[in-house]
Amino acid sequence: MIKTLQRQVTPPRIKRRALSIPAEFDSDPVVWAAWLYYEEGMTQEEVADQLGVSRASVVNFLQEARDRNIVTIAVSSRHLQTIGLARELADAYGLTSCLVVPDDGGRLLVHERIGTAGARLLIERLKPDDVLGVSWGRTVQALSAALPEMKLPGVTVAQITGCSIGTTEFSPELCTSNIANRLGARCVNLHAPGIVSTAQIKRLFMQEPALVETFKIIQSSNKVLFGVGSVDDAGTAMRSGYMTPEKIAPYLARGAVGVVSGRFIDREGKPILGALDNQMIGLTLDEIAKVPERICIAGGSDKIDAVYAALNNNYATILVTDLATARALVPRATRSHRTGVSSRP
């Protein structure tokens, strides 16, 4: 926000008790209160102590400052730009909500900026009895680190993909437990490998009573949080050890451009099924698509194709992305999205 303070010499409309007001404020407590609050960043309580008045008086002073145009408040052009683009993106892809993160001059990496913004959005969206399904990745991990500590004991945070042998930075169980710990929520980890060696072993795992009960909780999620991965050598799936080039090669040959919760999608967002799908333990794309509120946090120049694919097949109802990615996505929106028709078969 941009706040502009203008000197005024108009006396206050009502008579107030005499205060020791610095001369530069023209003996006007309204101007003095506005300066302390908007320019020096004091709280209303601190302003009240400085002026020797009640906090209610400070609230009245600040309102009068706005009424008399001593203070004018405007939205900066940078934020207007991102708000306008977010609304356009939401309309283009049929999203219920969208948040576009402005550039910060390179202070933070893209996934850190998106994760921080996603954390703010998440705490605004959570309700007391929510079951939040959580996937994994750099951006989800950044979100977990940016969350403030809260107490939401009625919320359940559930891991929707199995565990990996990768680094702690990208482990699914760490993303879930970090978010649950920050929120003071119940944590439900999925204690099974993300990928097992054969389809038969997966069937045996899925028959285990403990896993059956865990999946009942996971499948009851009314919100889900996920990132979108690329399929190049720098992608999270590759760096984490979750997958190998040999395992990914058949999917690439069939046109995979992105990964959502460990599952491959093509340029239109349609699932690409292969041998690995019969070995993966976790929610499928169809199951994710049935969750009422689906929060996608993703961006970066290397993920534009992947994020487009995820949006194109309506995997997300809410998107948090960066400015450059948003600018690239709007022109790509298909006519079916602009008319509100789903591309999901």
Side-chain angles (χ1 to χ4, degrees):
M1 304 292 282
I2 297 175
K3 300 178 284 292
T4 304
L5 184 65
Q6 300 172 345
R7 292 284 303 275
Q8 296 284 316
V9 296
T10 307
R13 291 194 299 266
I14 58 175
K15 184 177 180 180
R16 302 182 177 89
R17 64 186 178 87
L19 297 171
S20 180
I21 303 173
E24 61 267 29
F25 296 106
D26 297 318
S27 300
D28 190 341
V30 172
V31 178
W32 191 20
W35 177 272
L36 294 174
Y37 185 74
Y38 288 110
E39 294 296 327
E40 296 194 12
M42 287 187 177
T43 65
Q44 291 180 1
E45 288 287 351
E46 290 170 338
V47 174
D49 289 342
Q50 184 76 22
L51 271 64
V53 297
S54 68
R55 184 174 177 275
S57 295
V58 171
V59 171
N60 291 334
F61 288 168
L62 296 178
Q63 181 59 53
E64 185 171 343
R66 292 190 290 273
D67 292 343
R68 290 164 50 190
N69 291 323
I70 295 171
V71 171
T72 59
I73 302 176
V75 181
S76 70
S77 60
R78 183 185 72 161
H79 285 86
L80 284 175
Q81 180 187 43
T82 57
I83 291 169
L85 191 58
R87 292 174 69 89
E88 190 175 359
L89 196 57
D91 179 64
Y93 289 95
L95 302 167
T96 59
S97 183
C98 180
L99 179 59
V100 175
V101 183
D103 295 331
D104 70 348
R107 186 175 61 86
L108 294 175
L109 296 174
V110 172
H111 73 275
E112 293 172 330
R113 287 191 281 120
I114 295 173
T116 299
R120 294 196 303 269
L121 180 140
L122 180 62
I123 59 177
E124 292 173 359
R125 306 291 305 188
L126 284 174
K127 303 290 191 301
D129 298 321
D130 278 343
V131 178
L132 173 68
V134 175
S135 188
W136 59 298
R138 285 192 309 168
T139 312
V140 176
Q141 182 68 13
L143 178 149
S144 74
L147 281 170
E149 291 190 1
M150 305 175 67
K151 292 295 181 185
L152 299 174
V155 172
T156 296
V157 181
Q159 179 182 332
I160 67 170
T161 63
C163 303
S164 74
I165 60 172
T167 64
T168 56
E169 181 184 1
F170 305 120
S171 72
E173 56 272 31
L174 185 62
C175 289
T176 302
S177 59
N178 277 357
I179 291 173
N181 288 339
R182 293 288 183 129
L183 297 178
R186 175 192 183 196
C187 182
V188 176
N189 284 120
L190 179 52
H191 297 295
I195 299 177
V196 295
S197 55
T198 67
Q200 182 181 7
I201 291 177
K202 175 184 174 178
R203 286 194 294 271
L204 292 174
F205 259 108
M206 297 300 291
Q207 293 171 11
E208 283 294 319
L211 216 55
V212 169
E213 293 303 312
T214 298
F215 264 90
K216 286 181 181 178
I217 297 171
I218 295 170
Q219 290 167 341
S220 72
S221 298
N222 65 317
K223 290 180 171 65
V224 65
L225 172 70
F226 64 93
V228 177
S230 63
V231 292
D232 60 25
D233 290 343
T236 301
M238 299 284 282
R239 286 195 304 273
S240 67
Y242 193 74
M243 296 178 185
T244 65
E246 292 75 23
K247 291 178 179 178
I248 291 178
Y251 292 90
L252 294 178
R254 295 172 58 193
V257 300
V259 182
V260 173
S261 196
R263 311 282 177 165
F264 291 91
I265 55 177
D266 66 15
R267 290 187 179 276
E268 298 305 313
K270 296 177 182 178
I272 298 178
L273 301 178
L276 278 180
D277 292 272
N278 294 324
Q279 299 166 227
M280 292 183 186
I281 296 179
L283 290 188
T284 66
L285 290 174
D286 284 343
E287 288 173 324
I288 290 172
K290 292 176 182 177
V291 178
E293 188 166 288
R294 307 180 295 278
I295 305 170
C296 175
I297 54 171
S301 59
D302 61 323
K303 294 186 179 181
I304 291 172
D305 288 343
V307 176
Y308 165 76
L311 294 180
N312 189 60
N313 211 26
N314 298 343
Y315 289 118
T317 60
I318 297 173
L319 174 67
V320 182
T321 192
D322 63 291
L323 184 61
T325 301
R327 284 173 171 163
L329 288 172
V330 168
R332 292 193 181 197
T334 62
R335 184 176 182 276
S336 63
H337 280 98
R338 293 182 185 276
T339 56
V341 179
S342 170
S343 64
R344 183 177 298 283

